[in-house]
Each structure stands twice: as structure tokens, then as C-alpha cells.
Amino acid sequence: MDEQLFFKVLNSLCTSKEIFYFLSSVEVMSDTMASGALQRISEVEVDDNGLKNPGVLEDEVFRALCFQFEFESSKLSNTGLLNALQALIKLRVDPQSTLMASLLSEGEERLGKGQLTAENLCALGESLLELEGPSCATLEQIVNHMQERDIERWSTREIVMVYKILQVMVKEGKQCQNLLNRLNSVTLCTVSQLSPNFASVILNSLVVLRQTRAVPLVSALCKHSVKHVPYFTDHELVNVLGAFLYFGQKVQIFTEALERHIPKSILTMHPQTVSKIMQYCCKNMILSKPIFDAVAESFISNADRLTTDQIAAYIVPFGTLNYLPPSAPSLFRKLETVLHARLRHFQPHTLLNLLHSCVLIQRYPINFLPKIFSPYFLQKLQAQPPGLNRVVMSQLTQLFLTVTLECPFYEGPKLLSKYQAKAFPMLHSSPDFHILKRVKTGLLYLLKKRIYFASEVSTPYFYVVDIEIKLDEEGFVLPATQLEEVHRRIALCVDGQNRFCAHSHNLLGEEAIKQRHLQLLGYEVVQLPFFEIENLQNTRKVADYLHKKIFPCTYG
């Protein structure tokens, strides 16, 4: 049969049964046609979950094809040999079988003799990478052959394959940075031609190879990824997000692309992809309401199918970024149901992170706190990394403070004092030095003397107040060191940009709970956000602003 006609008929067939019937009617076929038939069988019989019907490998026609390849491997064309090898790997044929050993041996022999074209080298490299534990020496040989050609003339497919090979070589302790530097430079010129899959693979390689100095390439790939967001597979999107996180990339148009894509696609997304999206938002402090609202709806529908780590990954960012979605009542009802059913399956630190994030947004896990405060659970926390470090102690203390101040009806066990933190090492709590300095200068202008306010004041309740002002019963300002006759305490919260979500006026959860607790502890909390202060042009205007905020009754 004419080869062109053969492939036209072959590609129109959609089941292995049809393909086998067709092949049995062809009396003579070239090795290119036979390898094409194997490739078509692999296309219809293999999906994301593997081989759909293992019985295919036992079919008489399939075995006859394999017999030809096994015993006539030395007579095959390069294309026929390598296409067959790729198809058989995809079909999960045993790599230790005599068939696979024959094809691999023939491929490596031709490699050693320099008989493979650039396209052949790519096909062999891709096949070896698909197999478990490929020989680093063979992969290195492929790269050496490819370097004999001008690297600037490599196709995008060749570039991607070399990145994958270099990952293996570096893991084996080979030094490849000189080649990587050249490859990174060449890739930078081809970024605009990369498919979603190739862009994802290269970004993942740059992470694995720790190419932190390849900033121009990383930036270009991240920007290029924006247009591919709707077309990435779940696995590809996870790789891209992982690269954004590793390299600290923040591209606003990428977030906007996610906002357009995720609400439409979330119901078909793998939970691990959604978890990675939430990790990306949380680490970069991106409060994207379209994304968070879609994730909340997805959780309500799919929570029973999530792992405990995925449950935490979905929920914790809501607390961290201090956001309650419109579906909050249903969301937290579902979370409580899941916790009741699967509480014992959670790792101690995962459970603590989850419950702590809930109290940040005033969702109180009263029914589960007796377990958290039990000596047995605390011992388990201590035994597992990171143990009872300062962050863990502060989370426990904040849970305890929350039930003490906000849930007076709680009658369960309390947190033992030895587990209570003496001060909170809050990640984003340190005040913005520039804004704090302007506020102090304005206060000095307003109050005339420095003795009338104190900064960074530790309270008996573990929180640190940015600036404290004390007043007597008549409302007069007292020296900061005075302890008697203090009738009112004013806590000034100098909230720099680091205490808000990115590009937003929404306070982070840890700052919101601090201000809430200070208020319940008797402080008059006055918030001084950066976006109100930074545009004030001089000290007098800052003082005027502070007078209005702190002493509104005497202003004017």
C-alpha cells in the first residue's frame, strides 16, 4: 500500500480493534509504517491514567509487529527504530524485555557511531528520559553530539530536550553551568515561539537547575506564560506556578489571566492544581476575589474528595489574607462537617495551621479546641518538625487568646502556660520604618515633647503596640512612663504596605486579629494606614492628620 494512503487510513481509526483489523489486511509495510502503527495504537490506548486496556499487548497483530522490531532492529531506519521505541515506552512495555533491550542497544550503538540526525538525537533522548534511571553517560553523549552543531540553530524541541537531560546530569553531580549559560541565552531569543508545554518544561527545568541568575529568561518566560494560561494542562500550570514562586515573580497580568480562567475551569481542575494556585496567591499576598470565590464554591462541592493537605491549602489563605467569600456560611459548615469526619487523619501542624487561619477571620473552631489544647496533641506537635518553634507557639497562644477574649462561653481545657508565647513573631507585623518615622515626627509636633508617647511597647498579652499614648480621666496626655492614674490607653497601629494584601487596602489576617484583640483588651485602637499618610506633604499636615485621628473631639 502507498505510504501516504496508509497513514491517511491509519489516522482515521479510533480504536485498537479497528487498527489491528486494518493492519492484518496490509500484506507488506515498511518499518516507518509499522512504527507509525505502534504510535497510533499508543495514542488511542494511553491516557493520563496509563494504558486503558493491557490486553492490547497480547493481540496477535501487536505481537507480530513487535517480533519484527525485536529481531530485525539492525535493519530498521533511524526513524522506524526510534518511533517504535517511543511508542512502546508509552504503551508501558517492560523496559527489561528483550524487545526493549534490542531497540535501546541498537539506538545507543548508532549514537556511538554518529549515525543519528538532530531529530533522531531528540527522539532517543526523549525515550531515555521516559525510562526510569537513564544512563547519564548516554545522555551526556547525546548532548555532546548536539553541541557539534551550532547551538543557535537548535529547534525549540531540541532546546527543551537538552534542558531535561541537563536536569539528570546535574542530579548525577555533573557540572553543566557553561552549557546552561549558552542555552539560557539562546532560549531567550526563542521564548515567543514556545508552546504551553515547552514553556512549562523549561520553567520547571530552571527551577530544578536553580538558575537564579537567569533573570531575563525567567522574566520573559513568565510574561510569555500569560497568553497560555487557558491552554496549560493541570501539570503544566503547577510547574509554571512553582517557577513563579521559586523565582519570586509577580506579574499582574498573569494574575488577571488566572482570574479570567479559574472561575470557568475550577470544577475540572485537579485539587493539587487548585492548591498550588492558592499557595501562589497566599505567598504573594494576592487577594483575588474571583479566584477565592471560585475556590470556596469548589471546596463546598468537592471537599470530601480532598486530602487533608489539600483541605488546608484551600482554606488557610482565606485566613491569611483576611477574606470571607459570599459563600462563607456554606464554606465553613462544610469544613466543620469534614473535620468531624476526618479529624484524626490530619497531621498535627496541618490541623493547627487550619484552625488558626479560621480564628483570623472570626470563625471559631470551638468543637476542636479541646483536642488542640490536650497534652497528647501538644506532645505530637513537639515531636514532629518544625516542633514547638516560635511561630507554632504564637499560633497556639493566639488560639487561646481568641477563646478567652472572643468566646467567653468556651469551657473546655485551657492552654498550659508553658506552651504560651511571650511575644508574637508575626511575619508581616514590623512597622514600615519610613511611615513610622513620619508619624513620630508628627506626634512630636502635635504633643510638643517626646515623653508623651512610647513606641514598640510590649503588652502583657503578647502583642507589641507600635505607638502607645496614655490619657488620664479628664483626657489629658500622660508621660509614657507613668503607671498610676492611667484611664485610657490608645494604641496607634502604623500599618505599612506590608500589613495589607498586595495592591489592596485589605488588612492581612494577622494584623486584623491583633487590632481586634487589642480593642477587647481595653485599648482604643487607631489605625494609621500607609495610604492615608504617604501623600501628606509636610510635618504640619501629618500632625493635623494625627490630631484628627487620635483626638477627634478636640480637633478644630
Side-chain angles (χ1 to χ4, degrees), residues 19 32-33 93 100 106 132 135 142 149 163 188 210 219 290 315 359 372 389 392 453 468 518:
I19 295 170
T32 309
M33 291 159 74
V93 172
M100 294 296 282
E106 182 64 30
E132 290 292 317
S135 156
I142 291 172
R149 290 172 57 241
Y163 271 115
L188 182 58
R210 300 180 182 179
S219 298
I315 299 297
V359 301
I372 296 290
N389 64 14
V392 172
F453 61 93
E468 184 185 61
L518 286 175

Side-chain angles (χ1 to χ4, degrees), residues 349-401:
H349 287 280
T350 306
L351 183 60
L352 177 61
N353 282 335
L354 179 60
L355 298 186
H356 177 257
S357 71
C358 291
V359 301
L360 296 179
I361 42 178
Q362 296 177 278
R363 290 297 178 272
Y364 309 111
I366 297 299
N367 295 326
F368 310 105
L369 290 180
K371 177 183 175 76
I372 296 290
F373 295 151
S374 71
Y376 174 67
F377 181 82
L378 294 168
Q379 284 167 12
K380 283 174 71 179
L381 263 183
Q382 193 161 12
Q384 292 185 7
L388 290 175
N389 64 14
R390 290 181 69 210
V391 172
V392 172
M393 295 269 281
S394 74
Q395 287 179 321
L396 287 167
T397 307
Q398 209 156 37
L399 275 172
F400 172 63
L401 262 180

Side-chain angles (χ1 to χ4, degrees), residues 91 167 180 353:
L91 285 163
Q167 285 184 53
L180 266 169
N353 282 335

Side-chain angles (χ1 to χ4, degrees), residues 459-521:
T459 70
Y461 313 104
F462 318 107
Y463 291 112
V464 174
V465 174
D466 295 334
I467 295 176
E468 184 185 61
I469 296 173
K470 297 174 181 176
L471 304 179
D472 66 13
E473 196 169 356
E474 295 178 15
F476 289 107
V477 180
L478 297 171
T481 53
Q482 187 164 325
L483 302 177
E484 296 85 23
E485 299 178 8
V486 178
H487 188 66
R488 290 161 57 201
R489 292 175 188 269
I490 299 175
L492 303 186
C493 295
V494 184
D495 294 330
Q497 214 157 353
N498 58 328
R499 293 183 181 175
F500 292 87
C501 299
H503 314 296
S504 165
H505 294 171
N506 193 75
L507 268 182
L508 295 174
E510 64 178 25
E511 189 59 29
I513 196 173
K514 170 187 168 181
Q515 295 185 17
R516 200 164 70 237
H517 283 180
L518 286 175
Q519 213 158 5
L520 291 166
L521 290 164

Side-chain angles (χ1 to χ4, degrees), residues 438 445 535-546:
R438 293 198 70 193
Y445 187 96
N535 293 325
L536 300 173
Q537 292 163 352
N538 54 48
T539 302
R540 190 182 63 76
K541 287 192 174 178
V542 174
D544 193 55
Y545 163 80
L546 292 170

Side-chain angles (χ1 to χ4, degrees), residues 69-270:
F69 281 106
E70 182 176 344
F71 293 101
E72 298 183 12
S73 59
S74 61
K75 299 176 184 175
L76 299 172
S77 66
N78 287 342
T79 303
L81 171 73
L82 296 168
N83 284 354
L85 184 59
Q86 285 188 313
L88 293 168
I89 289 170
K90 197 173 175 183
L91 285 163
R92 311 292 198 272
V93 172
D94 181 7
Q96 306 302 320
S97 65
T98 53
L99 166 63
M100 294 296 282
S102 174
L103 294 177
L104 283 167
S105 172
E106 182 64 30
E108 289 178 7
E109 189 178 328
R110 295 184 192 189
L111 171 67
K113 292 177 179 176
Q115 295 174 350
L116 301 182
T117 65
E119 193 171 340
N120 297 153
L121 289 168
C122 258
L124 180 59
E126 286 162 357
S127 296
L128 290 171
L129 288 165
E130 283 294 318
L131 295 170
E132 290 292 317
S135 156
C136 189
T138 309
L139 292 173
E140 194 171 355
Q141 214 178 336
I142 291 172
V143 173
N144 290 339
H145 276 291
M146 291 189 65
Q147 284 191 86
E148 291 170 7
R149 290 172 57 241
D150 187 358
I151 191 170
E152 275 79 13
R153 294 172 58 198
W154 287 1
S155 69
T156 53
R157 181 187 173 196
E158 291 170 300
I159 286 170
V160 167
M161 191 207 59
V162 172
Y163 271 115
K164 286 181 175 178
I165 290 176
L166 291 178
Q167 285 184 53
V168 175
M169 290 169 62
V170 166
K171 282 177 187 171
E172 301 250 338
K174 300 281 182 183
Q175 294 298 317
C176 309
Q177 194 56 54
N178 288 339
L179 173 56
L180 266 169
N181 290 340
R182 289 172 62 205
L183 190 58
N184 291 342
S185 298
V186 169
T187 308
L188 182 58
C189 303
T190 66
V191 165
S192 61
Q193 303 165 34
L194 295 175
S195 67
N197 176 256
F198 284 0
S200 165
V201 168
I202 293 174
L203 275 170
N204 185 56
S205 295
L206 294 173
V207 171
V208 174
L209 296 164
R210 300 180 182 179
Q211 295 299 290
T212 49
R213 294 187 179 177
V215 177
L217 176 57
V218 171
S219 298
L221 282 166
C222 288
K223 287 173 185 168
H224 178 67
S225 298
V226 173
K227 71 176 183 181
H228 291 319
V229 166
Y231 311 107
F232 284 128
T233 64
D234 278 8
H235 177 67
E236 289 164 359
L237 185 55
V238 166
N239 281 346
V240 171
L241 289 165
F244 269 81
L245 289 165
Y246 181 81
F247 292 111
Q249 289 285 314
K250 298 175 186 176
V251 181
Q252 181 65 23
I253 53 174
F254 180 78
T255 305
E256 290 166 5
L258 288 176
E259 287 178 340
R260 289 189 296 272
H261 174 62
I262 290 165
K264 294 183 289 187
S265 311
I266 196 160
L267 293 178
T268 58
M269 277 184 172
H270 191 281

